[in-house]
Amino acid sequence: MASVESRYIATAKADAEGRLIEADEVLARLQQACGGTIGSRIAIPELLALVEKAQRYGLRLARQFEAVDGENRVTAWVEIAPQSSDEDADSGSTIDVVSWHSEGLPPENDIEAARRRVEINRHLADCTARLDSSQRLLSIDTQAPDLAEFADAALANVGRPWTDLVSLPGNSHQQPLHWRLLDGTKCTVEGSSRSWTAHLEPLGQPQPGSAGFVLYLTADSPLSAGLTNEEATGPDGPSFGRDLTPVLRQPINRIIANAETIRTKLAGPLADEYSSYAADIATAAQHLLALIDDLSDLEVVESDDFATAPDRIELADVARRACGILGVRAREKGITLVAPPEGESQLAIAEFRRVLQILLNLVGNAIRYSPEESQVWIRLDRIGNRALITVADQGHGLEDAQKEQVFEKFERLGRSGDGGSGLGLYISRRIARAMDGDLTVESAPGLGARFTLSVPAADEMREIPR
Amino acid sequence: MPMPDASTPVAADHESLRDALVRGNATLARIGPILAHLMATPDHSLFSDEIIARIRGMCHHLAWQVLRAQAEAAGQAGREAFAERHGAALAEHMLATPGLLAHCHALALEWQLTERLETQYGIDPVLSPLVQELIASEDSGLASSAMASLTAQARFAQAQRRMELPLAELPGDIFHDLLMNWRAYSGQLRSDAMIRAEAKLRNAFDEGAGRIALMSRVIASMGGEGRRALDIDHGGAAFYLTALATRTGQSRVAAVLSTNHEQTARLALGLRGAGLDSAEVERQVLRIDPKAVPAREIAEMPPEAARQILSESASAGVV
């Protein structure tokens, strides 16, 4: 087959979704004139249809397309080659422009233009009303939520001129004016913050308007745009959990690792005071890390779409796991952790990971605030359809006023410098409630505290073990 | 099925004979309308024996090419024999596709027109004055695509004389339909070899290398100058039809059909829509059909209006 020597006027690439990834001069300009950008979907209708067809068929196509860039009619010959590689079924296509002609558009005839304007109004209008030949309201219809109030008011005033129902700026004339003067006026509508343009389509022949009018109200901006602007200010700022946590973790882990190296004198002999400074650095860094984790957790549990993944779990397992993890820390303080006895079992419907997180927080607190040589118990129980897991300590206990306070955000009950962020219990309760459960405390001064997590109970273990 | 007594086979025989008669009746019932239509049509230029034979030939050739690709992918010995064996059935199946049928029909009519112009006016089927001029063009891109279209037209002439149609000459949509049709025909029997064969055919396909695309490309590259192809003595049938189609937004099939002498109005409207003045339109119409009565109505009609009328008639499902 004879091949054609082709010098391409322009080349472009589209991805599998029909977005124009890159484009040379002429095509890029046409894309912009049609309302698109590089990186957005191809905005040239005939070209998009061709690209999609070539990709759907998996065939190289060569066709002519026409487009209008606002002032000129463009006729171009393009060759489209889908780029299919074996591993990736459709990975876009290349577009090569072989010829390009543009000629000025003939001036549009007035009747055509008027007809098209009516078409556009008809499609864009948020509110359509039928008026009689004196522009009095006969019926009204709207889908826009911010016009509902207006529509109700208008329906109660059927028979009044429509100009009484909206506010026309600079309205000092006897309304309604001739429809040609009112066509295209700006107005505001009760209950809507958008500004509106009224268009009147006259009905009837031979005298336009003799059979009445259709009134179109078209807003200057779509309703959703306002909402997205408001939303954008919220989550679009840097998110602590998503953006900062991973960035901060790495240097802090490095500080901890180096401080530990100095503390344990791994790199050589060192004066004891320096070693203990290093221990302070490591402790502070660990605290910082815990704080960061808490803050990112806080962000997660406070977001609206926070949800847990409930499963059937064995609370005794979770309790023993928590005891295992914190056993070393407890022994350092001479505290004994008393896990549920072997053989005891309580099934619940909750997310294992989240329950463990709560339990680690509760047991960690108990270790932190209990006197040395004391005991911390973890007990399982069931009341009705609630499965309970209780962490009891022999610490100072809480006063009545403090019992609710401990669950507040950043609440430290006057303590400081012990490695807590004041977020643990707040986060734990949020998680508990997200699992359809709760976290409560019973305590009296001098008698220790009993924190109880309750979650929905389950009766039998799933057939297939995890 | 077990036969409980002797009377059943006889009943079954009767039944199958009756079925055969019913099938026969259906065929006979179609004779009337077809015959009446053929007799009532003053000329048979749209479905003469020659045209029918050409369409059949092209469809057979298409089927044969697809089957040959299949046999090749399956590594089958005796590829020709395989294609021969199944060719007729697949071709019958393809003949039921309106798009393909219309395309083949238009090609056959175009070739007939090309041959007629050669005998009547001595217009070369391949090398028209326009093509000669374009090949010598200073625009090397245009010259090279004109050269490629000349080669493609020579190939077309050869293929038409053999009543063949290479797969590569199909427009993309029809090629795609044909492959889908082949899938449907094979049904459950679709094997790995067929999938390989189809992928190979798709990869090898390049619409831009086909004759119709090359000619459209030349016309598009000429821009406003493309109007010159609408002088049939100058452009030759192939470029004339291509320019008529691209400049009026008609399909090439519609452009070809408009040269039939029952379709003078369509041709005149098309030429007017493509931008010819009324004297030129009249001259061109008479050149194609000397017996035609030129439509005077179009003299005052603006080209946009002519295109509008054409597109309305096309959307009404005529072509």
Side-chain angles (χ1 to χ4, degrees), chain A residues 161-466:
Chain A
W162 69 275
T163 44
D164 292 0
L165 305 168
V166 301
S167 328
L168 299 166
N171 182 5
S172 55
H173 304 281
Q174 174 65 38
Q175 295 286 2
L177 291 166
H178 187 268
W179 70 269
R180 281 191 199 280
L181 296 173
L182 284 171
D183 187 22
T185 44
K186 299 261 174 216
C187 59
T188 55
V189 174
E190 189 84 16
S192 166
S193 53
R194 297 189 279 171
S195 85
W196 298 84
T197 307
H199 294 281
L200 287 161
E201 182 193 353
L203 306 170
Q205 293 290 340
Q207 179 69 33
S210 57
F213 300 88
V214 181
L215 169 70
Y216 299 109
L217 288 181
T218 314
D220 292 357
S221 54
L223 191 57
S224 54
L227 286 178
T228 42
N229 277 346
E230 272 168 41
E231 282 168 1
T233 53
D236 253 11
S239 149
F240 193 91
R242 194 183 62 234
D243 301 334
L244 285 178
T245 308
V247 183
L248 289 174
R249 252 173 193 287
Q250 200 186 6
I252 295 173
N253 276 328
R254 202 175 204 136
I255 292 171
I256 296 172
N258 285 337
E260 285 293 327
T261 310
I262 300 170
R263 185 182 70 84
T264 49
K265 306 177 187 176
L266 279 179
L270 195 67
D272 279 349
E273 49 270 48
Y274 288 109
S275 162
S276 75
Y277 293 153
D280 286 349
I281 296 173
T283 314
Q286 253 145 9
H287 179 206
L288 194 56
L289 203 58
L291 209 57
I292 289 169
D293 286 343
D294 279 357
L295 284 172
S296 71
D297 269 346
L298 180 69
E299 197 174 75
V300 171
V301 300
E302 283 194 331
S303 75
D304 292 335
D305 49 6
F306 173 62
T308 58
D311 198 357
R312 261 164 217 267
I313 60 168
E314 171 60 82
L315 289 183
D317 276 353
V318 192
R320 283 185 210 111
R321 186 82 67 89
C323 292
I325 293 170
L326 292 173
V328 177
R329 210 203 296 174
R331 274 196 296 280
E332 278 175 9
K333 276 191 79 176
I335 292 172
T336 317
L337 294 182
V338 185
E342 204 63 48
E344 199 179 331
S345 158
Q346 178 56 57
L347 297 176
I349 295 171
E351 184 177 346
F352 188 90
R353 189 169 67 92
R354 293 297 185 185
V355 174
L356 181 63
Q357 185 182 359
I358 296 173
L359 222 49
L360 286 176
N361 176 247
L362 295 178
V363 176
N365 280 348
I367 295 171
R368 193 174 292 149
Y369 303 122
S370 289
E372 294 195 5
E373 306 302 330
S374 65
Q375 289 194 319
V376 172
W377 294 276
I378 302 169
R379 293 270 175 270
L380 304 179
D381 206 347
R382 174 171 179 163
I383 299 175
N385 56 357
R386 313 300 290 174
L388 308 178
I389 184 161
T390 301
V391 178
D393 64 39
Q394 296 176 310
H396 303 300
L398 298 166
E399 314 225 346
D400 277 353
Q402 290 175 328
K403 283 188 204 165
E404 269 312 300
Q405 246 178 313
V406 288
F407 293 109
E408 307 258 308
K409 213 198 281 197
F410 300 112
E411 181 56 55
R412 309 290 332 282
L413 296 179
R415 285 184 289 244
S416 63
D418 53 11
S421 65
L423 284 170
L425 286 174
Y426 172 79
I427 292 171
S428 296
R429 180 178 256 187
R430 289 290 291 237
I431 297 172
R433 290 183 175 168
M435 291 189 296
D436 195 19
D438 204 356
L439 180 61
T440 52
V441 62
E442 289 168 66
S443 175
L447 292 174
R450 293 162 52 85
F451 284 89
T452 303
L453 168 70
S454 68
V455 284
D459 287 322
E460 54 191 40
M461 203 60 184
R462 48 198 289 160
E463 286 80 51
I464 306 150
R466 297 163 62 90

Side-chain angles (χ1 to χ4, degrees), chain B residues 26-41 44 47 52:
Chain B
T27 315
L28 293 178
R30 282 198 293 265
I31 291 180
I34 296 174
L35 205 55
H37 180 75
L38 287 175
M39 299 309 284
T41 319
H44 301 146
F47 11 68
I52 303 294

